[in-house]
Amino acid sequence: MSDIFLFRSALRDLFRPKKLITALCLIAFPTVVALLFRLGGGADNFNAVEAYNQIADHMIFQFIVVILALVFCTSIITQEVEQKTIVYLLTRPVARWRILLVKFAGAFIITTVTAWLATVLLSVACFSASKSYEPYVIRLDQIRDRREFMTQFKQTPDPYLLAIYKKIPAEEIRRRRPFGRNRNAKQAQEKVQNVLETYDINKEPTNEELAVVVSGVNRVLRRENLLANREAIGGLNERSADLQKRVAANPTGIERSLVQRAYLQELMPNALDSPKPIVNPFGHDILILPVAVIAYGALFLLLATFLNRPLITGLMFSFGWETWVPTMPGNFQKLSLMSYVKVLAPHQMPSQGSGNQGSLVADTTVAVITNHQAWTTLSVFTIVALAAAVFIFAKREYVPRDDT
Amino acid sequence: MIALENASRWYQQVIGINDVTCQIPPGMTALLGPNGAGKSTMLKLITGQLKPTKGRVQVLGQEPFANPKVYQKLGYCPEIENNYDEMTGYEFVTLMGAMTGIPSATLKNRVHEVVEMVGMTVNAGRKIGGYSKGMRQRIKVAQGIIHDPDVLILDEPMNGLDPVGRREMTKVFLDMAAAGKCVVVSSHILYEVEAMTSNILLMHRGRLMAQGNVYHIRSLIDSHPHRITITTSDARRLAAKTLDLPYVLGVKFDSHDPRKLELETHSPHLFYSAFPDIVLEGGFVVENYESPDNNLEAVFRYLVNG
């Protein structure tokens, strides 16, 4: 009985205009970004899954969940202390652990619902536009035989990737600069050349070697219109009827990239599999969001039980430690909650398709945290943090100290 | 019902209360002391918001800190003005009532009952944010008595109330005390509590100066000279008359205002009862008379120095 009333008042408290407006802005934020992506990139270049993954990961999981959990879960205590009304709660015949947990339940629900709304809106914004969920780049899980893949590229007579189309003259390739025209592109190009020159075809390629070549290929796939000079492309009439038809249709945008990839795949059937369809992560995200919320919520609640200004500490932790540590290689990343959340809610980053070799290397390395470890760690952490919060809350004095 | 045993509480360097030992019986007790005397600290110890640094505090035989068993029978009206501003009075009292475990079947009736007792029936539907000081006090009292507690602790409950409000609230408190509850009212104004009870705890600078009957405290006060200032048309003749009274210790004239005289007595009560006769007999026109000492701070100065 008393719990219901307390819970209701906790919910109402979180629905104050100020907090509501903040929450609504946060809900709309990822969607606005997604729409800007769509408009900015043009309809043909917008990849829904990629955009969703990137925005969900960076804005919903790493920002909205964390900031909402911080604001809502610390305010359970700090707001009552600040407005001094905590005295009314603490002089009632309701055990303190109960007051804390009931209010925490309220904050948890509000935070989760807000994060859900943001995710739903984001997915609508992304997936309503998309023609295809399929990424148009070579993905690591597509490479059936790493050695074969590397060998194919090494053995092409021209160091340029474009030479996979054999008959394009070298001068033409040089002029067109398939890697792009900036300094970065030049470096990437040189790196691919070096790796291919030094690669020993009798050995398995290292993760880094593979990552360099894959990112190079993807760069070209994204940028180049290799189909423009159709006569120059070797062996088109040897390819499948389907592919010939698609090339003949003069594709643009994503379809062009897809055709190019399909072409590549037919050229090296032993090295490349068909891309596995990417599972739309939306459903999975919805399931994992409450897990992330409760873990962060428990942590911030704990901070609020013994710190006078938990917001500042919480912000430093969230946007310092928690954004930096998960990007660290090796066991160090185990010290961040976000690392575990990311294992449970993986989001494929477009870095796989761009020239970012660093993150490709990180992707190819064996995951430091297993799914099982992530579940265990997050549950144990949540329970311990909540228990500690309850313990401290039951023992500590919460009296505004402006009077004696 | 309430017992403090050598209870001390300090905040780092600042002493809130210092070595207080007392028992508070059922009935009405006033906790009296100037601002900063430690009244609120003592009430916070009794209501279990603070833990004593030294000594013991017991309410109904139990330590009150975070103890739901004590809160079941304890009502508390804090001195803070802050409240849940976005709730209505009804919502606030209902929440507080629900939290004391009043079953939902009777809760609504009980809320209306106490709201009426504190005279807030008209305003309880409005949001607390728009309340005046007096209304805030009344709604605070309502939440304190919602569960009909055995012990009722009221921290400065008269603040912000108008005379009508004071009388009404006093009646509520006295009814509770008459029903055998232990009611503690803190105040820094002597006359406010004199009307309510003769049982007084006197605090000053964290220490319990005196406990007991108000007459005892009165006599403590009376054993020190008490000054009364009188403004009259014929100050010198009145002075001569008052000097005849054995308990008047001396008379002084104001050098700036010839119509003013100040006399000292150790029995102000006797003087006040004799004063009307003197005025009538002598045909004096008294414009004003007041006692600059009749505030608590002055009394405490006497007690501390004396």
Side-chain angles (χ1 to χ4, degrees):
Chain A
M1 173 65 186
S2 64
D3 293 349
I4 299 167
F5 273 88
L6 195 57
F7 181 70
R8 256 185 14 201
S9 86
L11 286 191
R12 270 187 55 165
D13 203 45
L14 297 169
F15 272 115
R16 288 186 182 189
K18 224 171 156 185
K19 285 186 185 160
L20 205 60
I21 290 169
T22 316
L24 287 177
C25 290
L26 284 176
I27 288 173
F29 195 26
T31 305
V32 170
V33 172
L35 292 176
L36 288 177
F37 264 36
R38 261 171 78 168
L39 296 174
D44 281 350
N45 287 322
F46 183 75
N47 182 304
V49 171
E50 206 174 271
Y52 173 86
N53 268 321
Q54 202 175 0
I55 299 173
D57 192 76
H58 284 116
M59 296 184 66
I60 294 180
F61 277 88
Q62 286 187 43
F63 181 69
I64 292 186
V65 163
V66 177
I67 197 103
L68 284 180
L70 177 63
V71 170
F72 288 161
C73 293
T74 56
S75 85
I76 290 173
I77 298 172
T78 49
Q79 184 176 299
E80 295 279 354
V81 172
E82 264 163 33
Q83 67 185 17
K84 300 183 184 176
T85 44
I86 194 159
V87 47
Y88 291 117
L89 300 180
L90 296 189
T91 54
R92 294 284 141 186
V94 178
R96 285 187 174 192
W97 63 265
R98 219 182 168 108
I99 296 175
L100 195 71
L101 290 187
V102 168
K103 294 195 87 169
F104 179 68
F108 164 71
I109 288 174
I110 296 280
T111 311
T112 305
V113 168
T114 314
W116 273 344
L117 285 176
T119 312
V120 169
L121 282 184
L122 171 66
S123 76
V124 169
C126 289
F127 297 127
S128 65
S130 173
K131 295 168 189 162
S132 166
Y133 289 166
E134 207 180 2
Y136 45 86
V137 294
I138 300 283
R139 278 168 43 204
L140 287 169
D141 60 5
Q142 225 187 310
I143 301 173
R144 188 195 299 155
D145 185 339
R146 291 178 166 203
R147 222 164 93 187
E148 171 74 14
F149 180 82
M150 291 294 281
T151 309
Q152 287 270 355
F153 276 101
K154 187 178 169 75
Q155 286 176 346
T156 51
D158 196 293
Y160 296 102
L161 282 169
L162 277 183
I164 52 175
Y165 295 102
K166 307 253 159 98
K167 286 189 183 167
I168 296 181
E171 305 81 54
E172 166 87 344
I173 295 164
R174 255 178 225 109
R175 190 175 58 74
R176 285 169 57 184
R177 302 195 198 184
F179 278 84
R181 285 166 199 281
N182 58 19
R183 241 178 90 194
N184 217 339
K186 203 178 159 206
Q187 280 175 4
Q189 187 177 339
E190 278 165 6
K191 216 165 170 182
V192 175
Q193 284 168 11
N194 283 339
V195 166
L196 284 177
E197 268 161 33
T198 54
Y199 173 62
D200 179 356
I201 57 169
N202 296 315
K203 281 188 191 155
E204 274 289 299
T206 63
N207 285 328
E208 181 159 10
E209 284 170 337
L210 192 68
V212 167
V213 175
V214 169
S215 67
V217 174
N218 286 338
R219 232 183 144 103
V220 175
L221 283 180
R222 278 185 174 232
R223 287 188 51 83
E224 244 338 81
N225 181 6
L226 301 173
L227 308 176
N229 190 358
R230 215 170 304 154
E231 300 79 48
I233 299 175
L236 185 59
N237 41 10
E238 294 160 32
R239 306 278 82 90
S240 68
D242 178 54
L243 188 64
Q244 289 187 33
K245 217 171 102 189
R246 283 169 80 185
V247 171
N250 274 330
T252 53
I254 291 176
E255 171 62 11
R256 192 172 75 203
S257 301
L258 288 172
V259 172
Q260 294 182 134
R261 189 183 60 182
Y263 200 104
L264 198 58
Q265 219 175 299
E266 288 199 14
L267 276 179
M268 40 175 80
N270 296 328
L272 287 175
D273 281 331
S274 299
K276 297 185 184 89
I278 290 188
V279 183
N280 182 342
F282 170 72
H284 194 244
D285 283 354
I286 291 288
L287 287 179
I288 297 303
L289 275 174
V291 179
V293 170
I294 201 168
Y296 275 101
L299 171 70
F300 295 135
L301 184 72
L302 176 61
L303 290 185
T305 55
F306 65 90
L307 294 176
N308 289 332
R309 295 208 176 126
L311 219 52
I312 295 170
T313 316
L315 279 176
M316 292 199 302
F317 171 78
S318 309
F319 299 111
W321 184 261
E322 284 289 280
T323 47
W324 174 65
V325 171
T327 62
M328 294 290 114
N331 283 323
F332 189 54
Q333 61 174 274
K334 286 186 175 172
L335 294 175
S336 146
L337 277 183
M338 192 47 78
S339 309
Y340 298 94
V341 171
K342 279 178 177 232
V343 169
L344 293 185
H347 290 109
Q348 267 182 337
M349 288 295 124
S351 57
Q352 288 214 345
S354 73
N356 188 340
Q357 289 149 4
S359 40
L360 253 181
V361 172
D363 287 340
T364 49
T365 39
V366 183
V368 176
I369 302 164
T370 65
N371 217 324
H372 177 76
Q373 278 175 337
W375 277 112
T376 321
T377 310
L378 285 180
S379 346
V380 169
F381 178 84
T382 304
I383 292 167
V384 170
L386 280 181
V390 163
F391 179 80
I392 296 172
F393 190 66
K395 300 278 174 206
R396 203 166 168 251
E397 294 169 349
Y398 292 91
V399 177
R401 272 254 329 272
D402 53 358
D403 43 8
T404 46
Chain B
M1 290 177 107
I2 299 169
L4 277 76
E5 217 175 283
N6 305 108
S8 298
R9 166 72 205 201
W10 50 84
Y11 310 91
Q12 273 111 42
Q13 303 296 318
V14 185
I15 289 178
I17 68 168
N18 191 359
D19 198 26
V20 171
T21 300
C22 68
Q23 305 256 339
I24 303 177
M28 173 81 82
T29 303
L31 181 60
L32 203 59
N35 290 324
K39 301 187 299 289
S40 281
T41 303
M42 183 159 156
L43 295 185
K44 280 175 182 155
L45 284 167
I46 293 172
T47 53
Q49 297 173 69
L50 295 176
K51 289 181 261 196
T53 319
K54 266 189 174 175
R56 285 207 311 170
V57 178
Q58 292 214 313
V59 176
L60 301 164
Q62 300 202 36
E63 305 221 334
F65 185 81
N67 187 343
K69 281 182 192 155
V70 169
Y71 295 132
Q72 196 70 52
K73 292 173 178 170
L74 181 138
Y76 175 50
C77 171
E79 90 279 30
I80 52 162
E81 267 181 45
N82 309 53
N83 208 318
Y84 295 101
D85 284 351
E86 71 294 343
M87 285 191 194
T88 68
Y90 277 124
E91 285 166 347
F92 172 57
V93 180
T94 307
L95 172 65
M96 293 293 115
M99 283 186 74
T100 53
I102 298 173
S104 50
T106 53
L107 183 57
K108 201 175 170 191
N109 284 339
R110 179 62 189 158
V111 169
H112 280 268
E113 203 175 293
V114 293
V115 163
E116 199 184 332
M117 278 167 80
V118 299
M120 282 292 288
T121 309
V122 179
N123 290 311
R126 284 170 46 198
K127 288 202 171 181
I128 296 177
Y131 280 10
S132 69
K133 268 187 170 188
M135 292 184 209
R136 281 168 188 264
Q137 283 294 3
R138 286 166 187 257
I139 212 75
K140 260 158 54 182
V141 172
Q143 64 81 29
I145 61 176
I146 178 96
H147 52 308
D148 195 25
D150 292 342
V151 177
L152 179 61
I153 308 292
L154 304 141
D155 201 348
E156 303 270 3
M158 299 304 186
N159 272 3
L161 283 173
D162 55 18
V164 179
R166 285 176 193 215
R167 208 170 54 233
E168 287 175 5
M169 289 303 104
T170 304
K171 187 181 176 308
V172 172
F173 305 154
L174 286 176
D175 288 349
M176 297 269 304
K181 321 278 188 188
C182 173
V183 182
V184 181
V185 176
S186 83
S187 175
H188 60 275
I189 301 163
L190 182 61
Y191 77 88
E192 220 175 62
V193 293
E194 245 179 340
M196 277 191 259
T197 180
S198 56
N199 194 15
I200 285 183
L201 290 168
L202 204 59
M203 290 198 78
H204 187 57
R205 294 191 185 160
R207 285 187 178 274
L208 191 61
M209 301 284 302
Q211 174 181 17
N213 198 291
V214 70
Y215 301 113
H216 168 67
I217 290 163
R218 265 278 169 219
S219 71
L220 267 177
I221 295 167
D222 288 351
S223 64
H224 298 276
H226 188 94
R227 277 187 298 246
I228 297 166
T229 318
I230 301 168
T231 312
T232 175
S233 52
D234 204 347
R236 290 198 174 261
R237 198 158 61 85
L238 181 63
K241 287 275 181 197
T242 55
L243 276 175
D244 289 345
L245 301 170
Y247 39 80
V248 172
L249 303 172
V251 179
K252 271 199 310 198
F253 295 101
D254 193 312
S255 52
H256 303 293
D257 188 350
R259 301 185 307 140
K260 261 193 184 163
L261 73 127
E262 186 183 276
L263 57 84
E264 267 189 13
T265 169
H266 56 69
S267 297
H269 277 65
L270 290 174
F271 176 79
Y272 283 130
S273 53
F275 187 55
D277 290 339
I278 297 172
V279 172
L280 283 177
E281 279 170 23
F284 297 105
V285 180
V286 176
E287 288 170 29
N288 184 30
Y289 75 97
E290 61 184 3
S291 168
D293 288 354
N294 203 3
N295 65 61
L296 217 49
E297 192 54 48
V299 170
F300 283 114
R301 262 203 315 273
Y302 283 139
L303 288 176
V304 172
N305 297 334

